Amino acid sequence: MNTNLPMQSASAQTIDTYSFPRHRLNLTQSDPSKTPLILIACGSFSPLTYLHLRMFEMAADFAKFNTDFEILGGYLSPVSSAYKKAGLAPAVHRLRMCELGVDQTSNWLMVDPWEAIQNEYVPTAQVLDHFEEEINKSLGGAERPDGTRAHVQIALLAGADLIQTMSTPGVWSEKDLDHILGRYGTFIIERTGTDIDDALANLQPYKDKIYVIQQLIQNNVSSTKIRLFLRREMSVQYLIPAPVIEYIEEHGLYEEDGASSIDGRGKGKDASAGPSGGEKTASKS
Ligand SMILES: Nc1ncnc2c1ncn2[C@@H]1O[C@H](COP(=O)(O)OP(=O)(O)OP(=O)(O)O)[C@@H](O)[C@H]1O
Ligand SMILES: NC(=O)c1ccc[n+]([C@@H]2O[C@H](COP(=O)(O)O)[C@@H](O)[C@H]2O)c1
């Protein structure tokens, strides 16, 4: 596979040296009757799993067979260290693991370090604005076969559990929800343990921009479970990309639980991870 490596590794970038990764971006439309689309997956990726990568492939198939979108690219945007969720490895490691995960396995996915390298937590609405700015303002959107330019639709790619949090009071501001779902839209991958109808019940005003994707082959892997396995010195082979496993071993990541990084925002998902897993692990089983 042509791995098409970036000019500068995402994990080596700083706020001062940042440049938008576009080494695999093909801003040329082949079907002008379709709307060009770029998918953005925001998350912890601590660590990256095969399901995080599969989400893009499932969404690409869904877009191809069920919508009038033409996918031109996909980005992983790891959250910054300021998120302080339990089990969150430092951003530089999560960026590198995401890069290692996509470099050898994909010819269209990229890792954008912009969100991860910020000193402050950046809400998802602003992350999507960053992509809008880079792709439509700086790069001028996509080129149609006749040479004219087309606006690229930016959309959030997420699992059903993330969408369910959109109905949980205090997690998302109304303004941000309206911005994300009203302006950009979202592709949602169903997830074991999350009732999709329940998750979408309060989001009906935005239903035209919410695309729900069934997992035809169910994969219930989560980063929480991977961290739990690693702490117990159990194998995670074939659950996450091999270069990511090597990187974790090399840097001694996830040897201890993330309890010390729990903050006051209820992000301590690992706090009760016992033999049968913590609260979040259990809900996804
Ligand atoms: N098995 C899965 N099925 C569907 N969506 C998933 C799955 N695993 C991760 N996702 C989605 O991937 C995105 C990034 O998630 P994140 O990095 O928080 O992964 P996670 O596995 O849920 O992590 P953690 O277990 O640490 O909370 C989220 O939108 C999440 O819903
Ligand atoms: N208000 C917000 O913008 C908001 C709220 C909750 C989660 N998120 C994002 O969702 C992603 C996944 O979060 P969790 O791992 O906490 O489920 C992260 O990228 C995070 O930034 C954003």
Side-chain angles (χ1 to χ4, degrees), residues 26-75:
N26 177 11
L27 283 174
T28 312
Q29 261 198 295
S30 51
D31 184 349
S33 69
K34 297 201 166 183
T35 303
L37 173 74
I38 291 187
L39 294 169
I40 317 298
C42 292
S44 304
F45 309 115
S46 187
L48 179 84
T49 71
Y50 272 125
L51 199 283
H52 293 135
L53 302 174
R54 272 298 296 165
M55 292 200 329
F56 285 93
E57 299 295 326
M58 288 187 262
D61 278 349
F62 179 88
K64 183 163 128 191
F65 296 114
N66 302 284
T67 73
D68 284 330
F69 287 113
E70 178 181 354
I71 295 205
L72 298 189
Y75 286 92

mmCIF file of all heavy atoms in Angstrom, residues 26-75:
data_model
loop_
_atom_site.group_PDB
_atom_site.id
_atom_site.type_symbol
_atom_site.label_atom_id
_atom_site.label_comp_id
_atom_site.label_asym_id
_atom_site.label_seq_id
_atom_site.Cartn_x
_atom_site.Cartn_y
_atom_site.Cartn_z
ATOM 1 N N ASN A 26 -7.598 14.454 -1.204
ATOM 2 C CA ASN A 26 -7.794 14.629 -2.631
ATOM 3 C C ASN A 26 -9.031 15.499 -2.828
ATOM 4 O O ASN A 26 -10.164 15.010 -2.811
ATOM 5 C CB ASN A 26 -7.982 13.257 -3.294
ATOM 6 C CG ASN A 26 -8.250 13.414 -4.777
ATOM 7 O OD1 ASN A 26 -8.097 14.498 -5.340
ATOM 8 N ND2 ASN A 26 -8.668 12.331 -5.429
ATOM 9 N N LEU A 27 -8.791 16.802 -2.942
ATOM 10 C CA LEU A 27 -9.926 17.721 -3.014
ATOM 11 C C LEU A 27 -10.450 17.850 -4.451
ATOM 12 O O LEU A 27 -10.721 18.955 -4.927
ATOM 13 C CB LEU A 27 -9.529 19.089 -2.448
ATOM 14 C CG LEU A 27 -9.463 19.152 -0.914
ATOM 15 C CD1 LEU A 27 -8.920 20.494 -0.432
ATOM 16 C CD2 LEU A 27 -10.839 18.894 -0.293
ATOM 17 N N THR A 28 -10.583 16.714 -5.123
ATOM 18 C CA THR A 28 -11.108 16.723 -6.482
ATOM 19 C C THR A 28 -12.341 15.838 -6.519
ATOM 20 O O THR A 28 -12.267 14.653 -6.174
ATOM 21 C CB THR A 28 -10.064 16.143 -7.468
ATOM 22 O OG1 THR A 28 -8.816 16.758 -7.195
ATOM 23 C CG2 THR A 28 -10.464 16.393 -8.898
ATOM 24 N N GLN A 29 -13.453 16.401 -6.946
ATOM 25 C CA GLN A 29 -14.675 15.615 -7.009
ATOM 26 C C GLN A 29 -14.696 14.777 -8.266
ATOM 27 O O GLN A 29 -14.338 15.265 -9.343
ATOM 28 C CB GLN A 29 -15.861 16.565 -7.085
ATOM 29 C CG GLN A 29 -16.558 16.799 -5.777
ATOM 30 C CD GLN A 29 -17.922 17.359 -6.024
ATOM 31 O OE1 GLN A 29 -18.028 18.463 -6.541
ATOM 32 N NE2 GLN A 29 -18.948 16.629 -5.674
ATOM 33 N N SER A 30 -15.129 13.520 -8.154
ATOM 34 C CA SER A 30 -15.285 12.753 -9.397
ATOM 35 C C SER A 30 -16.736 12.774 -9.854
ATOM 36 O O SER A 30 -17.017 12.629 -11.032
ATOM 37 C CB SER A 30 -14.768 11.330 -9.235
ATOM 38 O OG SER A 30 -15.326 10.750 -8.100
ATOM 39 N N ASP A 31 -17.671 12.965 -8.930
ATOM 40 C CA ASP A 31 -19.092 13.014 -9.299
ATOM 41 C C ASP A 31 -19.693 14.349 -8.843
ATOM 42 O O ASP A 31 -20.026 14.526 -7.677
ATOM 43 C CB ASP A 31 -19.816 11.836 -8.634
ATOM 44 C CG ASP A 31 -21.270 11.773 -9.042
ATOM 45 O OD1 ASP A 31 -21.761 12.751 -9.654
ATOM 46 O OD2 ASP A 31 -21.918 10.754 -8.742
ATOM 47 N N PRO A 32 -19.846 15.295 -9.772
ATOM 48 C CA PRO A 32 -20.316 16.631 -9.391
ATOM 49 C C PRO A 32 -21.771 16.668 -8.926
ATOM 50 O O PRO A 32 -22.222 17.662 -8.362
ATOM 51 C CB PRO A 32 -20.141 17.442 -10.681
ATOM 52 C CG PRO A 32 -20.113 16.454 -11.783
ATOM 53 C CD PRO A 32 -19.594 15.174 -11.216
ATOM 54 N N SER A 33 -22.499 15.554 -9.134
ATOM 55 C CA SER A 33 -23.900 15.547 -8.670
ATOM 56 C C SER A 33 -23.940 15.281 -7.160
ATOM 57 O O SER A 33 -24.979 15.382 -6.528
ATOM 58 C CB SER A 33 -24.699 14.473 -9.411
ATOM 59 O OG SER A 33 -24.257 13.192 -9.003
ATOM 60 N N LYS A 34 -22.800 14.914 -6.585
ATOM 61 C CA LYS A 34 -22.770 14.611 -5.144
ATOM 62 C C LYS A 34 -22.171 15.768 -4.337
ATOM 63 O O LYS A 34 -21.478 16.619 -4.897
ATOM 64 C CB LYS A 34 -21.972 13.336 -4.911
ATOM 65 C CG LYS A 34 -22.634 12.144 -5.585
ATOM 66 C CD LYS A 34 -22.203 10.840 -4.981
ATOM 67 C CE LYS A 34 -23.148 9.746 -5.457
ATOM 68 N NZ LYS A 34 -22.838 8.458 -4.874
ATOM 69 N N THR A 35 -22.422 15.744 -3.040
ATOM 70 C CA THR A 35 -21.854 16.762 -2.148
ATOM 71 C C THR A 35 -20.558 16.221 -1.551
ATOM 72 O O THR A 35 -20.568 15.154 -0.923
ATOM 73 C CB THR A 35 -22.838 17.074 -0.993
ATOM 74 O OG1 THR A 35 -24.068 17.497 -1.562
ATOM 75 C CG2 THR A 35 -22.292 18.153 -0.065
ATOM 76 N N PRO A 36 -19.433 16.919 -1.730
ATOM 77 C CA PRO A 36 -18.181 16.429 -1.136
ATOM 78 C C PRO A 36 -18.244 16.453 0.390
ATOM 79 O O PRO A 36 -18.806 17.386 0.980
ATOM 80 C CB PRO A 36 -17.118 17.402 -1.652
ATOM 81 C CG PRO A 36 -17.822 18.486 -2.363
ATOM 82 C CD PRO A 36 -19.277 18.168 -2.485
ATOM 83 N N LEU A 37 -17.668 15.433 0.992
ATOM 84 C CA LEU A 37 -17.789 15.265 2.448
ATOM 85 C C LEU A 37 -16.443 14.863 3.054
ATOM 86 O O LEU A 37 -15.727 14.041 2.489
ATOM 87 C CB LEU A 37 -18.803 14.136 2.725
ATOM 88 C CG LEU A 37 -18.976 13.673 4.167
ATOM 89 C CD1 LEU A 37 -19.761 14.711 4.976
ATOM 90 C CD2 LEU A 37 -19.730 12.332 4.217
ATOM 91 N N ILE A 38 -16.126 15.468 4.195
ATOM 92 C CA ILE A 38 -14.942 15.041 4.958
ATOM 93 C C ILE A 38 -15.386 14.708 6.379
ATOM 94 O O ILE A 38 -16.103 15.494 7.015
ATOM 95 C CB ILE A 38 -13.836 16.118 4.916
ATOM 96 C CG1 ILE A 38 -13.289 16.175 3.476
ATOM 97 C CG2 ILE A 38 -12.719 15.810 5.914
ATOM 98 C CD1 ILE A 38 -12.096 17.041 3.239
ATOM 99 N N LEU A 39 -14.992 13.523 6.843
ATOM 100 C CA LEU A 39 -15.420 13.047 8.163
ATOM 101 C C LEU A 39 -14.354 13.324 9.212
ATOM 102 O O LEU A 39 -13.163 13.081 8.977
ATOM 103 C CB LEU A 39 -15.656 11.538 8.109
ATOM 104 C CG LEU A 39 -16.813 11.071 7.221
ATOM 105 C CD1 LEU A 39 -16.758 9.559 7.046
ATOM 106 C CD2 LEU A 39 -18.152 11.501 7.817
ATOM 107 N N ILE A 40 -14.798 13.778 10.376
ATOM 108 C CA ILE A 40 -13.889 14.079 11.479
ATOM 109 C C ILE A 40 -14.285 13.247 12.697
ATOM 110 O O ILE A 40 -15.409 13.377 13.198
ATOM 111 C CB ILE A 40 -13.983 15.576 11.894
ATOM 112 C CG1 ILE A 40 -14.033 16.524 10.680
ATOM 113 C CG2 ILE A 40 -12.899 15.927 12.908
ATOM 114 C CD1 ILE A 40 -12.829 16.490 9.793
ATOM 115 N N ALA A 41 -13.387 12.394 13.162
ATOM 116 C CA ALA A 41 -13.655 11.630 14.386
ATOM 117 C C ALA A 41 -12.903 12.287 15.536
ATOM 118 O O ALA A 41 -11.669 12.370 15.514
ATOM 119 C CB ALA A 41 -13.220 10.181 14.228
ATOM 120 N N CYS A 42 -13.646 12.793 16.515
ATOM 121 C CA CYS A 42 -13.038 13.392 17.708
ATOM 122 C C CYS A 42 -13.090 12.360 18.826
ATOM 123 O O CYS A 42 -14.084 11.649 18.964
ATOM 124 C CB CYS A 42 -13.828 14.623 18.139
ATOM 125 S SG CYS A 42 -13.699 15.986 16.980
ATOM 126 N N GLY A 43 -12.056 12.262 19.616
ATOM 127 C CA GLY A 43 -12.087 11.292 20.707
ATOM 128 C C GLY A 43 -10.771 11.256 21.447
ATOM 129 O O GLY A 43 -9.836 12.000 21.135
ATOM 130 N N SER A 44 -10.699 10.349 22.395
ATOM 131 C CA SER A 44 -9.481 10.216 23.195
ATOM 132 C C SER A 44 -8.439 9.375 22.466
ATOM 133 O O SER A 44 -7.254 9.661 22.530
ATOM 134 C CB SER A 44 -9.814 9.547 24.527
ATOM 135 O OG SER A 44 -10.802 10.279 25.190
ATOM 136 N N PHE A 45 -8.886 8.278 21.851
ATOM 137 C CA PHE A 45 -7.987 7.336 21.167
ATOM 138 C C PHE A 45 -6.838 6.934 22.103
ATOM 139 O O PHE A 45 -5.664 7.049 21.758
ATOM 140 C CB PHE A 45 -7.465 7.933 19.852
ATOM 141 C CG PHE A 45 -8.563 8.469 18.974
ATOM 142 C CD1 PHE A 45 -8.675 9.821 18.684
ATOM 143 C CD2 PHE A 45 -9.526 7.608 18.458
ATOM 144 C CE1 PHE A 45 -9.715 10.314 17.899
ATOM 145 C CE2 PHE A 45 -10.570 8.090 17.665
ATOM 146 C CZ PHE A 45 -10.658 9.445 17.392
ATOM 147 N N SER A 46 -7.203 6.486 23.287
ATOM 148 C CA SER A 46 -6.214 6.165 24.324
ATOM 149 C C SER A 46 -6.351 4.712 24.771
ATOM 150 O O SER A 46 -6.825 4.450 25.868
ATOM 151 C CB SER A 46 -6.390 7.121 25.511
ATOM 152 O OG SER A 46 -5.378 6.950 26.455
ATOM 153 N N PRO A 47 -5.907 3.749 23.947
ATOM 154 C CA PRO A 47 -5.266 3.922 22.643
ATOM 155 C C PRO A 47 -6.258 3.755 21.484
ATOM 156 O O PRO A 47 -7.410 3.385 21.698
ATOM 157 C CB PRO A 47 -4.267 2.751 22.614
ATOM 158 C CG PRO A 47 -5.012 1.657 23.327
ATOM 159 C CD PRO A 47 -5.818 2.340 24.406
ATOM 160 N N LEU A 48 -5.741 3.996 20.270
ATOM 161 C CA LEU A 48 -6.499 3.756 19.042
ATOM 162 C C LEU A 48 -6.826 2.263 18.935
ATOM 163 O O LEU A 48 -5.973 1.427 19.216
ATOM 164 C CB LEU A 48 -5.629 4.157 17.845
ATOM 165 C CG LEU A 48 -6.252 3.951 16.469
ATOM 166 C CD1 LEU A 48 -7.132 5.130 16.106
ATOM 167 C CD2 LEU A 48 -5.174 3.779 15.403
ATOM 168 N N THR A 49 -8.050 1.940 18.532
ATOM 169 C CA THR A 49 -8.416 0.529 18.313
ATOM 170 C C THR A 49 -8.795 0.342 16.848
ATOM 171 O O THR A 49 -9.004 1.322 16.123
ATOM 172 C CB THR A 49 -9.634 0.118 19.178
ATOM 173 O OG1 THR A 49 -10.802 0.774 18.644
ATOM 174 C CG2 THR A 49 -9.454 0.493 20.631
ATOM 175 N N TYR A 50 -8.929 -0.918 16.435
ATOM 176 C CA TYR A 50 -9.351 -1.168 15.059
ATOM 177 C C TYR A 50 -10.757 -0.626 14.800
ATOM 178 O O TYR A 50 -11.095 -0.275 13.679
ATOM 179 C CB TYR A 50 -9.304 -2.662 14.731
ATOM 180 C CG TYR A 50 -7.948 -3.094 14.236
ATOM 181 C CD1 TYR A 50 -7.256 -4.134 14.838
ATOM 182 C CD2 TYR A 50 -7.346 -2.458 13.151
ATOM 183 C CE1 TYR A 50 -6.007 -4.531 14.386
ATOM 184 C CE2 TYR A 50 -6.091 -2.850 12.701
ATOM 185 C CZ TYR A 50 -5.431 -3.875 13.315
ATOM 186 O OH TYR A 50 -4.195 -4.243 12.865
ATOM 187 N N LEU A 51 -11.575 -0.565 15.877
ATOM 188 C CA LEU A 51 -12.927 -0.062 15.641
ATOM 189 C C LEU A 51 -12.913 1.421 15.270
ATOM 190 O O LEU A 51 -13.693 1.872 14.426
ATOM 191 C CB LEU A 51 -13.813 -0.326 16.868
ATOM 192 C CG LEU A 51 -15.318 -0.280 16.615
ATOM 193 C CD1 LEU A 51 -15.888 1.121 16.495
ATOM 194 C CD2 LEU A 51 -15.715 -1.108 15.391
ATOM 195 N N HIS A 52 -11.977 2.174 15.875
ATOM 196 C CA HIS A 52 -11.875 3.593 15.504
ATOM 197 C C HIS A 52 -11.613 3.717 14.003
ATOM 198 O O HIS A 52 -12.143 4.608 13.344
ATOM 199 C CB HIS A 52 -10.741 4.270 16.290
ATOM 200 C CG HIS A 52 -11.006 4.373 17.766
ATOM 201 N ND1 HIS A 52 -10.066 4.076 18.718
ATOM 202 C CD2 HIS A 52 -12.108 4.762 18.455
ATOM 203 C CE1 HIS A 52 -10.569 4.264 19.931
ATOM 204 N NE2 HIS A 52 -11.808 4.671 19.793
ATOM 205 N N LEU A 53 -10.793 2.824 13.466
ATOM 206 C CA LEU A 53 -10.494 2.868 12.031
ATOM 207 C C LEU A 53 -11.682 2.345 11.219
ATOM 208 O O LEU A 53 -12.038 2.905 10.182
ATOM 209 C CB LEU A 53 -9.228 2.045 11.729
ATOM 210 C CG LEU A 53 -7.971 2.504 12.480
ATOM 211 C CD1 LEU A 53 -6.817 1.550 12.240
ATOM 212 C CD2 LEU A 53 -7.579 3.916 12.033
ATOM 213 N N ARG A 54 -12.313 1.283 11.712
ATOM 214 C CA ARG A 54 -13.472 0.708 11.017
ATOM 215 C C ARG A 54 -14.612 1.712 10.904
ATOM 216 O O ARG A 54 -15.383 1.677 9.951
ATOM 217 C CB ARG A 54 -13.990 -0.522 11.784
ATOM 218 C CG ARG A 54 -13.384 -1.849 11.458
ATOM 219 C CD ARG A 54 -13.596 -2.309 10.036
ATOM 220 N NE ARG A 54 -14.978 -2.564 9.645
ATOM 221 C CZ ARG A 54 -15.386 -2.699 8.383
ATOM 222 N NH1 ARG A 54 -14.545 -2.588 7.383
ATOM 223 N NH2 ARG A 54 -16.644 -2.937 8.111
ATOM 224 N N MET A 55 -14.724 2.607 11.895
ATOM 225 C CA MET A 55 -15.821 3.602 11.857
ATOM 226 C C MET A 55 -15.801 4.363 10.533
ATOM 227 O O MET A 55 -16.846 4.636 9.940
ATOM 228 C CB MET A 55 -15.665 4.630 12.997
ATOM 229 C CG MET A 55 -15.868 4.053 14.375
ATOM 230 S SD MET A 55 -16.245 5.256 15.670
ATOM 231 C CE MET A 55 -15.450 6.729 15.234
ATOM 232 N N PHE A 56 -14.592 4.708 10.076
ATOM 233 C CA PHE A 56 -14.474 5.461 8.821
ATOM 234 C C PHE A 56 -14.900 4.606 7.618
ATOM 235 O O PHE A 56 -15.549 5.093 6.701
ATOM 236 C CB PHE A 56 -13.022 5.925 8.618
ATOM 237 C CG PHE A 56 -12.632 7.084 9.489
ATOM 238 C CD1 PHE A 56 -12.029 6.870 10.714
ATOM 239 C CD2 PHE A 56 -12.864 8.393 9.078
ATOM 240 C CE1 PHE A 56 -11.654 7.944 11.523
ATOM 241 C CE2 PHE A 56 -12.483 9.461 9.878
ATOM 242 C CZ PHE A 56 -11.879 9.236 11.106
ATOM 243 N N GLU A 57 -14.500 3.337 7.647
ATOM 244 C CA GLU A 57 -14.843 2.456 6.521
ATOM 245 C C GLU A 57 -16.353 2.209 6.481
ATOM 246 O O GLU A 57 -16.960 2.189 5.406
ATOM 247 C CB GLU A 57 -14.076 1.123 6.639
ATOM 248 C CG GLU A 57 -12.559 1.270 6.612
ATOM 249 C CD GLU A 57 -12.014 1.790 5.274
ATOM 250 O OE1 GLU A 57 -12.591 1.451 4.221
ATOM 251 O OE2 GLU A 57 -11.028 2.546 5.284
ATOM 252 N N MET A 58 -16.941 2.029 7.657
ATOM 253 C CA MET A 58 -18.405 1.824 7.712
ATOM 254 C C MET A 58 -19.123 3.066 7.211
ATOM 255 O O MET A 58 -20.102 2.981 6.457
ATOM 256 C CB MET A 58 -18.843 1.510 9.153
ATOM 257 C CG MET A 58 -18.450 0.134 9.631
ATOM 258 S SD MET A 58 -19.182 -0.236 11.248
ATOM 259 C CE MET A 58 -17.839 0.154 12.342
ATOM 260 N N ALA A 59 -18.630 4.237 7.613
ATOM 261 C CA ALA A 59 -19.265 5.488 7.185
ATOM 262 C C ALA A 59 -19.086 5.700 5.679
ATOM 263 O O ALA A 59 -19.989 6.183 4.996
ATOM 264 C CB ALA A 59 -18.684 6.661 7.967
ATOM 265 N N ALA A 60 -17.917 5.307 5.164
ATOM 266 C CA ALA A 60 -17.670 5.481 3.725
ATOM 267 C C ALA A 60 -18.623 4.596 2.922
ATOM 268 O O ALA A 60 -19.204 5.033 1.916
ATOM 269 C CB ALA A 60 -16.216 5.146 3.394
ATOM 270 N N ASP A 61 -18.801 3.351 3.360
ATOM 271 C CA ASP A 61 -19.751 2.462 2.674
ATOM 272 C C ASP A 61 -21.166 3.027 2.774
ATOM 273 O O ASP A 61 -21.914 3.038 1.798
ATOM 274 C CB ASP A 61 -19.735 1.054 3.311
ATOM 275 C CG ASP A 61 -18.594 0.207 2.776
ATOM 276 O OD1 ASP A 61 -17.966 0.618 1.780
ATOM 277 O OD2 ASP A 61 -18.340 -0.859 3.359
ATOM 278 N N PHE A 62 -21.517 3.486 3.963
ATOM 279 C CA PHE A 62 -22.867 4.018 4.157
ATOM 280 C C PHE A 62 -23.094 5.211 3.224
ATOM 281 O O PHE A 62 -24.118 5.311 2.548
ATOM 282 C CB PHE A 62 -23.052 4.440 5.618
ATOM 283 C CG PHE A 62 -24.407 5.020 5.897
ATOM 284 C CD1 PHE A 62 -25.466 4.194 6.259
ATOM 285 C CD2 PHE A 62 -24.636 6.385 5.784
ATOM 286 C CE1 PHE A 62 -26.732 4.724 6.498
ATOM 287 C CE2 PHE A 62 -25.889 6.928 6.016
ATOM 288 C CZ PHE A 62 -26.937 6.099 6.382
ATOM 289 N N ALA A 63 -22.115 6.112 3.178
ATOM 290 C CA ALA A 63 -22.263 7.317 2.335
ATOM 291 C C ALA A 63 -22.391 6.919 0.868
ATOM 292 O O ALA A 63 -23.215 7.475 0.131
ATOM 293 C CB ALA A 63 -21.054 8.235 2.540
ATOM 294 N N LYS A 64 -21.607 5.928 0.466
ATOM 295 C CA LYS A 64 -21.615 5.503 -0.936
ATOM 296 C C LYS A 64 -22.955 4.894 -1.348
ATOM 297 O O LYS A 64 -23.478 5.183 -2.418
ATOM 298 C CB LYS A 64 -20.494 4.465 -1.110
ATOM 299 C CG LYS A 64 -20.288 3.952 -2.498
ATOM 300 C CD LYS A 64 -18.909 3.289 -2.563
ATOM 301 C CE LYS A 64 -19.003 1.901 -3.135
ATOM 302 N NZ LYS A 64 -17.761 1.162 -2.975
ATOM 303 N N PHE A 65 -23.521 4.078 -0.493
ATOM 304 C CA PHE A 65 -24.730 3.347 -0.888
ATOM 305 C C PHE A 65 -26.035 4.007 -0.468
ATOM 306 O O PHE A 65 -27.096 3.657 -0.983
ATOM 307 C CB PHE A 65 -24.677 1.916 -0.331
ATOM 308 C CG PHE A 65 -23.542 1.111 -0.919
ATOM 309 C CD1 PHE A 65 -22.488 0.685 -0.133
ATOM 310 C CD2 PHE A 65 -23.514 0.811 -2.286
ATOM 311 C CE1 PHE A 65 -21.423 -0.042 -0.674
ATOM 312 C CE2 PHE A 65 -22.467 0.093 -2.839
ATOM 313 C CZ PHE A 65 -21.417 -0.333 -2.035
ATOM 314 N N ASN A 66 -25.982 4.933 0.484
ATOM 315 C CA ASN A 66 -27.256 5.461 1.015
ATOM 316 C C ASN A 66 -27.402 6.977 0.946
ATOM 317 O O ASN A 66 -28.420 7.493 1.392
ATOM 318 C CB ASN A 66 -27.412 5.072 2.498
ATOM 319 C CG ASN A 66 -27.361 3.581 2.695
ATOM 320 O OD1 ASN A 66 -28.313 2.879 2.405
ATOM 321 N ND2 ASN A 66 -26.226 3.098 3.179
ATOM 322 N N THR A 67 -26.380 7.687 0.484
ATOM 323 C CA THR A 67 -26.488 9.149 0.513
ATOM 324 C C THR A 67 -25.990 9.753 -0.803
ATOM 325 O O THR A 67 -25.490 9.046 -1.672
ATOM 326 C CB THR A 67 -25.607 9.761 1.637
ATOM 327 O OG1 THR A 67 -24.230 9.665 1.237
ATOM 328 C CG2 THR A 67 -25.799 9.068 2.969
ATOM 329 N N ASP A 68 -26.129 11.063 -0.899
ATOM 330 C CA ASP A 68 -25.607 11.771 -2.075
ATOM 331 C C ASP A 68 -24.286 12.462 -1.744
ATOM 332 O O ASP A 68 -23.965 13.503 -2.297
ATOM 333 C CB ASP A 68 -26.634 12.802 -2.559
ATOM 334 C CG ASP A 68 -27.765 12.108 -3.297
ATOM 335 O OD1 ASP A 68 -27.518 11.057 -3.909
ATOM 336 O OD2 ASP A 68 -28.905 12.603 -3.220
ATOM 337 N N PHE A 69 -23.548 11.903 -0.803
ATOM 338 C CA PHE A 69 -22.241 12.460 -0.463
ATOM 339 C C PHE A 69 -21.133 11.692 -1.195
ATOM 340 O O PHE A 69 -21.255 10.488 -1.419
ATOM 341 C CB PHE A 69 -21.956 12.328 1.040
ATOM 342 C CG PHE A 69 -22.761 13.265 1.898
ATOM 343 C CD1 PHE A 69 -23.725 12.771 2.778
ATOM 344 C CD2 PHE A 69 -22.550 14.639 1.831
ATOM 345 C CE1 PHE A 69 -24.455 13.639 3.578
ATOM 346 C CE2 PHE A 69 -23.281 15.510 2.635
ATOM 347 C CZ PHE A 69 -24.235 15.005 3.506
ATOM 348 N N GLU A 70 -20.055 12.404 -1.494
ATOM 349 C CA GLU A 70 -18.842 11.749 -1.993
ATOM 350 C C GLU A 70 -17.743 12.039 -0.968
ATOM 351 O O GLU A 70 -17.386 13.206 -0.744
ATOM 352 C CB GLU A 70 -18.448 12.345 -3.360
ATOM 353 C CG GLU A 70 -17.173 11.730 -3.896
ATOM 354 C CD GLU A 70 -16.747 12.315 -5.256
ATOM 355 O OE1 GLU A 70 -17.490 13.128 -5.845
ATOM 356 O OE2 GLU A 70 -15.649 11.953 -5.698
ATOM 357 N N ILE A 71 -17.213 10.992 -0.360
ATOM 358 C CA ILE A 71 -16.202 11.200 0.692
ATOM 359 C C ILE A 71 -14.846 11.538 0.079
ATOM 360 O O ILE A 71 -14.340 10.804 -0.765
ATOM 361 C CB ILE A 71 -16.088 9.959 1.586
ATOM 362 C CG1 ILE A 71 -17.408 9.771 2.341
ATOM 363 C CG2 ILE A 71 -14.912 10.100 2.553
ATOM 364 C CD1 ILE A 71 -17.306 9.028 3.638
ATOM 365 N N LEU A 72 -14.288 12.657 0.523
ATOM 366 C CA LEU A 72 -12.980 13.078 0.006
ATOM 367 C C LEU A 72 -11.862 12.915 1.035
ATOM 368 O O LEU A 72 -10.690 13.075 0.704
ATOM 369 C CB LEU A 72 -13.030 14.540 -0.452
ATOM 370 C CG LEU A 72 -13.994 14.877 -1.594
ATOM 371 C CD1 LEU A 72 -13.764 16.306 -2.073
ATOM 372 C CD2 LEU A 72 -13.850 13.921 -2.774
ATOM 373 N N GLY A 73 -12.219 12.651 2.268
ATOM 374 C CA GLY A 73 -11.158 12.497 3.267
ATOM 375 C C GLY A 73 -11.709 12.168 4.643
ATOM 376 O O GLY A 73 -12.918 12.227 4.889
ATOM 377 N N GLY A 74 -10.784 11.794 5.532
ATOM 378 C CA GLY A 74 -11.173 11.483 6.905
ATOM 379 C C GLY A 74 -10.032 11.839 7.846
ATOM 380 O O GLY A 74 -8.861 11.603 7.523
ATOM 381 N N TYR A 75 -10.381 12.442 8.973
ATOM 382 C CA TYR A 75 -9.363 12.853 9.959
ATOM 383 C C TYR A 75 -9.710 12.325 11.345
ATOM 384 O O TYR A 75 -10.870 12.380 11.768
ATOM 385 C CB TYR A 75 -9.295 14.374 10.058
ATOM 386 C CG TYR A 75 -8.630 15.043 8.885
ATOM 387 C CD1 TYR A 75 -9.394 15.487 7.801
ATOM 388 C CD2 TYR A 75 -7.257 15.244 8.855
ATOM 389 C CE1 TYR A 75 -8.798 16.111 6.717
ATOM 390 C CE2 TYR A 75 -6.646 15.871 7.773
ATOM 391 C CZ TYR A 75 -7.419 16.299 6.714
ATOM 392 O OH TYR A 75 -6.820 16.912 5.636
#
